[in-house]
Amino acid sequence: MAYLFDTPEQRQRMLAAIGAASVDELFQQIPVSLQLGRELALPGAVSELELEQDLQRRLGQAGGGGVCFLGGGVYDHYIPAVVDELTSRGEFYTAYTPYQAEASQGTLQAFYEYQTLISQLSGMEVSNASLYEGGTAVSEAVFMAMRVNGRDGRVVVAGSLHPEYRQVLRTYFSRLGTEIVEVPAVDGVVSVESCRAALTAETTAVVLQQPNFFGCLEDIGGLTAAAHAAGALAILAFDPISPGLLKRPGDYGVDIAVAEGQPLGTPLQFGGPLLGVFTCRSEYVRKMPGRLIGRTVDRRGRECFVLNLQAREQHIRRDKATSNICTNQGLLALRATVFLSVVGPRGLRQMAELSHAKARYAAERLTSLPGVVLKFERAFFREFVLETPRPATEVLRLLSDRGFNVGPELSRFGGSLGAGLERCFLVALTEKRTRAEIDALVSALGDVLGS
Amino acid sequence: MRNPTATRLLFEMSESGRGTVVFPESDVPDVSGVPVPGVEHLAAGLLPLPELAEPDVVRHFVNLSTLNMSVDSHFYPLGSCTMKYNPKRHERLARLPQAVASHPYQQESQIQGLLSVLYELQGMLAEISGLPGVSLHPAAGAQGELTALLTAAAYFRHRGEQRTRVLFPASAHGTNPASAALAGFECVQLSGGRDGFVDLSELRAQLDERAAVFMVTNPNTLGLFEKDIATIAAMLHEVGGLVYIDGANMNAILGRTRPGDFGGDMMHYNVHKTFTGPHGAGGPGAGPIAVRDFLAPFLPAPVVTFDAARNWYSLMVPEHSIGRMRTFFGNVGILLRGYCYIRTLGGRGLREASDCAVLNANYLLSQVRDFLDVPHGNRCMHEFVASAKRLKEQTGVTAMDIAKRLLDYGFHAPTVYFPLVVEEALMMEPTETESLATLDAFAAALRQICSEPAELVKGAPHSTAVCRPDEVNAARKPVLCWSAEC
Amino acid sequence: MDPETLRFAKTHEWVSVTGDVATVGITDFAVRLLTDIVYLSLPKVGKVYRPGQAMGEVESVKAVSDIYAPVAGEVLEVNGGLPDQLQLLSESPFERAWIVKLRMSDAGDLQQLLSRAQYLQHCGE
């Protein structure tokens, strides 16, 4: 069943118009020696009902039914019903890239609104219409910094930046001869002196994260100043809910700010598809990767929206393009647009404040257990690192058996976060977690450690 | 019915004090035993986001959606994009709890169902391509290309070979050279023959021990199957190079032939094209790749494996993996929709889909060729490229004008001005999920347009909300963001 | 500026020489090919270029083209007003729309360039 239309009689008519005796004849372009000559060895076709029954059986239970305290880049934030409702409209999700502007004003205006909302959220002057996710957004930011200041030999990266973002960076730059210098985090943050010491006249940029991977708050102002003093750009990976409570990247004066936009209305989906947020100073706009939607007027002077500065993109500039990106994360950007429209500044402030308050409460109660400590005695937002007397992988497994999904354990990332972290793991809180759930987690951890 | 007040910009609808989502009051007490963020970290005030009431937000986006053409509402023959029907059952299935709510750092024991689906998909993509090493990791086709090129580079480095050049035809999609440049290769573009195919002697002249990869789309972007593909592959393999198949046009050959069988060593799939991942107004996609088994150890991490003895699925890192191309596993939401599609059709159904895609394209070609030039012959695979060059010479009407006028007839335009090797190109891909009646209506509209007065066509579209946005001014003075001063 | 007195690069730059200073712009042919030009980026004064090295960019809605140094030299002066008056490129491509003045390091580079007649023939191909 392939959602086809034509009856055998219609097929015959079409073949007659073409002047072919059979459909097989149309495939004569393929040399016989290359033809498969058998049916593909795939499971037989199933009806909608059978497929649903099969997948219900395999995917019908969510995450063991546990409560989510997992962090590390994507979070279990609330998604108002309006987001699913509006973005499920076929006119949005079955449209494609708005190459014909007159047939795509819905998409184009929504993305213009997205760009504006992200600009307001981040305090940065201009946003693009999305990249794949947070990790590649960081890599694209470094490429862009190189185009801006003409330095391509060296980039300095905070050791407190998400380890997977750093892995992506290494893969992207593996063949390009760029030196990636990591400044280790000490006691949960990167110091301005150590950053300054790592900067040279060949450094294109410094890459930072706020809050960092540990949930800790860094001295972004000081680190940005150090970068600028060395003629390097400051690139900040920020959290898109945090502006409800904390300073925005633009307020720190960074040059490029990127984010994993998943908390803005996209479900976890085992890590994809996600939303790469990319913003920068408006003077860099012609060096930005990704699609950009601009406002203009049409022949009759009516305001309208259009894909802008396409000459930078791969379909025109080819090997000299600002990026190879073509398909982006359009639908997820649309979800973020609806989400921010409906949540608004007050709702976002509530989300940030609630996540913060719950994280603080959880941290205090968890560290009241014997032998459980906050690994870094520093201010944090939404997540924090706990250390217990037992190996983290064991603790997290036992907690999940009891219905609490906590983590990730820091040892999951090899030595990339530092040494001696085998008993450490992240705990993340959002506005969704109730006091009862937190108290139950404390009790469960107490059981696990006591036994 | 249009509602212009509802489609004002969100920022123009904002009123201070409006708000719509209310979260519960905090149910936790303040605590003092953990460090507090210093004032230097705190926001200055309320964010300048618009304040809107929920009913207004709904009206706004519902009305905006009506300004779009989409597969759900219109025939959308965008060549090279495979705008086929997006089955609704996928939307329900992709929202099953383990699919939608699993965190990437969840315990493996809790995601066995999901991992089993992804593992099966790896196998299905291997069978469809004829290439056994599959990675579901890349976020889209372009990233799939880059991933495969980096995989090839790692393979060559492992063998101690220095290969610096990637070759591709001038008809290639722009992502091909863009990806090659990003991967640190020198790009060598081949002009190709007049007949639209790869010119073997031109290729031979450019091949030496510096050749790493030849990137080719097959069928190519003219909708023609490269009949010499096996020879091309042999030529590359003879100098120790590899062949990369850009899988954007897989919809033409499902179940008929396979990249691994016609000489390809690596390929990417566009799940949002061939396997009905929704196009989403520009994305998201998913660009899984399939490679020969000698390249599999270099694939990015993670890959799903199955331990039959323990009946256990887990994630593993290939032995010489190039590392990560993005965070977490991949675009699972889209991959799942592709999985549902392949399960729904089965092997025979996939072949039927290709059969019908090719039949529809050839039929459309037969209906337009007496009034629009089709430079590369009377037969095609799943798409073909017509040219408005002669019409332009005679009347001044261009491919762009035809595209705009089609909107008035209620059709989305085909792809225009691609591939670059055809002047005034109109690339049409009807796909298999369209009826004979739709194809006839489209052909009739095109026929009509090609005989309409030039001013009428050049003034199109007449029936849409806006007409011919001024792109020159937009590019001279970009306005990418609303601000209160406007 | 009489185009007959100029030298041309195959990449559509023109050169006018006075002493050891080469004034460089792009030709009317290039401007017509690009159609509506939306942006121009100029090199920095003091930068040194080899022949054939990209020293700036000209962008239209449809394309972005590099502007290549036709001869080796150091940038003495750039036409700072041009990016805000892009219409000059079509109105006066050989005069008011000059782009860069280079101090040539080797006048011999001029021998590699084309005469007007040779350039027009090249464009015809």
Side-chain angles (χ1 to χ4, degrees):
Chain A
M1 139 54 159
Y3 307 99
L4 306 180
F5 285 76
D6 300 315
T7 64
E9 182 269 331
Q10 285 173 328
R11 284 197 167 209
Q12 285 310 117
R13 265 201 281 146
M14 289 165 79
L15 285 168
I18 294 166
S22 64
V23 170
D24 279 342
E25 196 184 305
L26 299 175
F27 282 92
Q28 275 169 8
Q29 284 182 60
I30 305 178
V32 172
S33 57
L34 302 180
Q35 291 183 20
L36 185 56
R38 61 167 174 84
E39 204 172 283
L40 285 168
L42 296 171
V46 288
S47 64
E48 183 172 349
L49 174 59
E50 288 167 288
L51 185 59
E52 184 161 332
Q53 285 168 334
D54 180 36
L55 289 182
Q56 266 288 358
R57 191 178 45 81
R58 294 153 82 182
L59 304 178
Q61 289 283 18
V67 184
C68 185
F69 290 92
L70 288 160
V74 289
Y75 306 93
D76 182 27
H77 278 289
Y78 187 64
I79 302 173
V82 176
V83 176
D84 269 347
E85 201 52 43
L86 292 173
T87 58
S88 312
R89 291 182 68 84
E91 299 94 324
F92 280 130
Y93 85 88
T94 72
Y96 199 24
T97 309
Y99 291 122
Q100 294 296 343
E102 295 91 333
S104 321
Q105 286 299 296
T107 296
L108 288 164
Q109 181 173 333
F111 286 159
Y112 180 78
E113 291 172 339
Y114 167 80
Q115 287 170 189
T116 304
L117 290 168
I118 295 298
S119 181
Q120 292 168 336
L121 182 71
S122 62
M124 301 295 287
E125 290 171 331
V126 69
S127 162
N128 74 4
S130 78
L131 296 177
Y132 301 137
E133 40 72 68
T136 50
V138 165
S139 294
E140 293 276 16
V142 175
F143 279 122
M144 189 178 136
M146 293 174 167
R147 289 191 287 273
V148 168
N149 61 22
R151 302 176 179 184
D152 59 6
R154 199 164 189 282
V155 62
V156 169
V157 174
S160 52
L161 176 69
H162 196 311
E164 293 197 17
Y165 292 13
R166 284 182 276 142
Q167 286 171 26
V168 174
L169 198 62
R170 245 173 261 127
T171 310
Y172 265 76
F173 284 89
S174 58
R175 287 186 38 84
L176 305 176
T178 305
E179 200 190 344
I180 300 177
V181 176
E182 281 192 19
V183 178
V186 171
D187 197 36
V189 295
V190 168
S191 74
V192 176
E193 305 80 63
S194 61
C195 179
R196 206 176 277 134
L199 287 162
T200 68
E202 288 84 45
T203 309
T204 182
V206 174
V207 186
L208 309 163
Q209 187 174 13
Q210 182 80 316
N212 66 25
F213 182 74
F214 305 122
C216 297
L217 298 179
E218 303 259 15
D219 176 7
I220 300 298
L223 292 161
T224 299
H228 289 161
L233 263 55
I235 297 172
L236 182 64
F238 71 104
D239 177 272
I241 300 292
S242 70
L245 181 69
L246 303 177
K247 231 172 180 162
R248 303 173 301 172
D251 302 329
Y252 285 116
V254 303
D255 306 292
I256 305 174
V258 300
E260 174 46 67
Q262 173 271 335
L264 303 174
T266 288
L268 293 166
Q269 302 169 99
F270 196 55
L274 301 177
L275 174 61
V277 170
F278 191 100
T279 68
C280 65
R281 294 183 184 283
S282 54
E283 69 195 78
Y284 302 152
V285 77
R286 286 185 145 82
K287 302 194 172 0
M288 282 177 94
R291 294 181 182 141
L292 288 169
I293 278 65
R295 195 190 80 206
T296 185
V297 290
D298 77 345
R299 264 184 192 171
R300 287 168 223 152
R302 290 175 294 199
E303 177 185 88
C304 58
F305 303 94
V306 79
L307 276 175
N308 205 354
L309 301 181
Q310 288 187 73
R312 306 158 301 112
E313 293 188 65
Q314 48 74 31
H315 57 293
I316 291 177
R317 201 81 164 101
R318 295 170 73 89
D319 58 314
K320 298 209 177 108
T322 47
S323 166
N324 70 338
I325 191 170
C326 182
T327 292
N328 59 9
Q329 302 292 106
L331 196 66
L332 292 316
L334 186 64
R335 292 183 71 96
T337 309
V338 176
F339 176 86
L340 287 169
S341 302
V342 135
V343 165
R346 293 174 207 284
L348 198 71
R349 172 182 277 176
Q350 275 188 296
M351 287 179 76
E353 286 177 346
L354 286 168
S355 301
H356 187 57
K358 307 220 184 203
R360 289 174 57 74
Y361 174 74
E364 171 134 315
R365 289 232 47 221
L366 287 163
T367 54
S368 69
L369 292 169
V372 178
V373 297
L374 208 55
K375 179 66 178 172
F376 308 115
E377 269 296 317
R378 292 191 177 274
F380 55 84
F381 175 75
R382 194 225 267 119
E383 59 193 328
F384 50 88
V385 179
L386 232 48
E387 187 171 40
T388 77
R390 291 176 71 174
T393 41
E394 210 179 290
V395 171
L396 298 184
R397 188 179 41 81
L398 293 168
L399 281 175
S400 94
D401 289 343
R402 285 164 170 72
F404 300 93
N405 299 318
V406 187
E409 66 279 22
L410 299 195
S411 58
R412 184 189 185 107
F413 304 99
S416 68
L417 291 166
L421 300 170
E422 298 77 20
R423 293 174 291 117
C424 297
F425 54 89
L426 276 169
V427 184
L429 282 296
T430 71
E431 70 290 338
K432 282 175 72 172
R433 299 288 76 84
T434 65
R435 181 175 182 167
E437 286 169 342
I438 300 170
D439 291 343
L441 170 66
V442 174
S443 177
L445 182 58
D447 280 347
V448 164
L449 295 177
S451 57
Chain B
M1 299 284 323
R2 204 160 288 158
N3 183 349
T5 44
T7 53
R8 285 175 302 158
L9 288 168
L10 294 169
F11 322 100
E12 292 163 351
M13 293 161 54
S14 171
E15 289 281 348
S16 178
R18 272 188 191 151
T20 184
V21 171
V22 177
F23 289 93
E25 292 291 311
S26 178
D27 58 353
V28 295
D30 282 339
V31 297
S32 54
V34 289
V36 177
V39 69
E40 72 277 12
H41 291 297
L42 298 180
L46 198 61
L47 286 167
L49 296 169
E51 298 177 73
L52 303 160
E54 185 171 319
D56 256 352
V57 173
V58 173
R59 253 188 212 155
H60 176 78
F61 287 101
V62 168
N63 275 278
L64 277 187
S65 77
T66 65
L67 299 177
N68 274 358
M69 279 185 171
S70 60
V71 174
D72 271 7
S73 61
H74 293 80
F75 179 48
Y76 212 118
L78 258 190
S80 143
C81 296
T82 313
M83 304 296 290
K84 60 166 113 178
Y85 174 63
N86 300 117
K88 303 315 171 198
R89 67 194 65 175
H90 299 175
E91 298 310 307
R92 183 191 285 181
L93 296 172
R95 284 178 168 81
L96 283 169
Q98 203 176 115
V100 80
S102 292
H103 190 288
Y105 296 136
Q106 203 108 16
Q107 297 283 316
E108 255 177 19
S109 57
Q110 296 172 334
I111 49 169
Q112 288 294 301
L114 186 59
L115 291 179
S116 77
V117 169
L118 295 170
Y119 181 75
E120 258 187 64
L121 180 62
Q122 283 173 181
M124 287 148 91
L125 295 181
E127 169 64 6
I128 295 168
S129 63
L131 293 166
V134 174
S135 167
L136 302 177
H137 193 59
Q143 200 183 53
E145 293 169 19
L146 180 61
T147 305
L149 291 173
L150 291 175
T151 301
Y155 164 74
F156 289 128
R157 188 170 51 243
H158 189 75
R159 290 165 64 89
E161 293 175 28
Q162 254 285 74
R163 292 178 178 267
T164 53
R165 306 173 114 208
V166 167
L167 302 91
F168 51 91
S171 58
H173 193 268
T175 49
N176 288 183
S179 301
L182 257 183
F185 287 104
E186 183 195 336
C187 291
V188 178
Q189 177 163 296
L190 305 177
S191 327
R194 281 204 178 285
D195 54 2
F197 294 105
V198 171
D199 181 335
L200 295 181
S201 49
E202 184 190 11
L203 176 61
R204 195 182 307 279
Q206 292 287 355
L207 282 180
D208 57 29
E209 71 286 347
R210 292 173 296 172
V213 179
F214 182 57
M215 298 178 85
V216 65
T217 313
N218 195 21
N220 63 27
T221 58
L222 295 164
L224 305 170
F225 191 85
E226 292 277 355
K227 50 199 176 354
D228 293 324
I229 187 72
T231 308
I232 291 167
M235 287 166 69
L236 263 295
H237 295 152
E238 210 180 329
V239 297
L242 296 171
V243 175
Y244 177 82
I245 304 296
D246 179 324
N249 289 338
M250 283 297 287
N251 208 46
I253 56 172
L254 297 169
R256 284 275 179 177
T257 181
R258 307 187 304 174
D261 294 338
F262 58 66
D265 302 297
M266 312 178 284
M267 69 161 288
H268 81 264
Y269 287 97
N270 294 89
V271 177
H272 53 296
K273 296 184 180 181
T274 316
F275 299 128
T276 75
H279 290 85
I289 63 171
V291 302
R292 292 232 178 263
D293 48 27
F294 59 82
L295 294 168
F298 303 91
L299 285 173
V303 172
V304 188
T305 67
F306 178 58
D307 179 345
R310 291 168 52 216
N311 194 30
W312 193 257
Y313 296 91
S314 54
L315 297 178
M316 70 90 150
V317 178
E319 193 188 345
H320 302 296
S321 174
I322 57 173
R324 283 192 164 280
M325 296 298 296
R326 37 107 16 102
T327 48
F328 314 126
F329 181 82
N331 278 2
V332 172
I334 303 305
L335 293 167
L336 190 54
R337 287 166 169 86
Y339 172 84
C340 289
Y341 180 71
I342 297 169
R343 289 288 310 275
T344 300
L345 268 62
R348 190 173 310 167
L350 288 176
R351 205 182 104 148
E352 279 170 7
S354 283
D355 281 359
C356 192
V358 170
L359 175 65
N360 281 356
N362 277 278
Y363 178 73
L364 191 58
L365 199 175
S366 75
Q367 299 301 294
V368 307
R369 69 170 190 249
D370 57 326
F371 58 88
L372 265 180
D373 291 331
V374 182
H376 295 95
N378 292 336
R379 287 290 158 86
C380 62
M381 297 293 288
H382 67 312
E383 67 189 3
F384 66 93
V385 182
S387 170
K389 178 177 173 190
R390 206 159 35 94
L391 191 64
K392 180 179 175 189
E393 285 161 2
Q394 288 166 353
T395 67
V397 167
T398 64
M400 184 60 76
D401 297 326
I402 295 173
K404 299 298 184 192
R405 184 66 178 138
L406 276 167
L407 304 181
D408 289 330
Y409 281 80
F411 299 107
H412 192 281
T415 300
V416 289
Y417 301 103
F418 180 79
L420 302 171
V421 294
V422 174
E423 272 186 68
E424 297 297 323
L426 290 140
M427 187 206 269
M428 311 197 208
E429 182 185 354
T431 83
E432 71 278 13
T433 60
E434 299 293 342
S435 68
L436 177 55
T438 301
L439 300 181
D440 281 339
F442 182 73
L446 267 177
R447 182 187 302 271
Q448 177 97 344
I449 291 168
C450 289
S451 61
E452 282 178 336
E455 326 82 66
L456 183 64
V457 183
K458 292 188 94 56
H462 303 280
S463 59
T464 50
V466 302
C467 170
R468 308 272 184 149
D470 185 348
E471 295 183 63
V472 173
N473 210 46
R476 282 200 179 133
K477 295 185 168 20
V479 176
L480 305 171
C481 179
W482 176 92
S483 68
E485 294 80 58
C486 298
Chain C
M1 191 88 66
D2 178 8
E4 292 300 325
T5 66
L6 303 173
R7 304 287 293 174
F8 296 83
K10 283 189 177 164
T11 45
H12 308 292
E13 292 84 13
W14 57 259
V15 183
S16 157
V17 180
T18 311
D20 66 347
V21 175
T23 304
V24 182
I26 59 173
T27 67
D28 50 347
F29 182 80
V31 172
R32 261 199 315 275
L33 268 184
L34 285 161
T35 67
D36 301 289
I37 293 179
V38 300
Y39 185 73
L40 177 71
S41 83
L42 299 168
K44 290 199 169 39
V45 170
K47 225 171 133 93
V48 171
Y49 292 96
R50 297 185 313 272
Q53 203 181 355
M55 54 176 188
E57 273 181 357
V58 59
E59 184 184 319
S60 74
V61 173
K62 298 190 184 348
V64 181
S65 290
D66 289 314
I67 303 169
Y68 298 98
V71 296
E74 180 193 333
V75 178
L76 284 178
E77 210 186 323
V78 298
N79 190 348
L82 186 57
D84 288 322
Q85 293 182 282
L86 293 169
Q87 72 280 7
L88 291 176
L89 283 160
S90 2
E91 288 170 12
S92 177
F94 297 106
E95 188 100 35
R96 297 173 63 203
W98 67 272
I99 296 175
V100 168
K101 288 193 204 287
L102 294 168
R103 188 196 309 285
M104 290 188 289
S105 50
D106 181 359
D109 288 341
L110 294 168
Q111 305 312 316
Q112 308 301 326
L113 301 175
L114 307 174
S115 69
R116 174 96 170 144
Q118 288 169 324
Y119 172 67
L120 288 172
Q121 192 182 23
H122 168 67
C123 293
E125 286 156 13

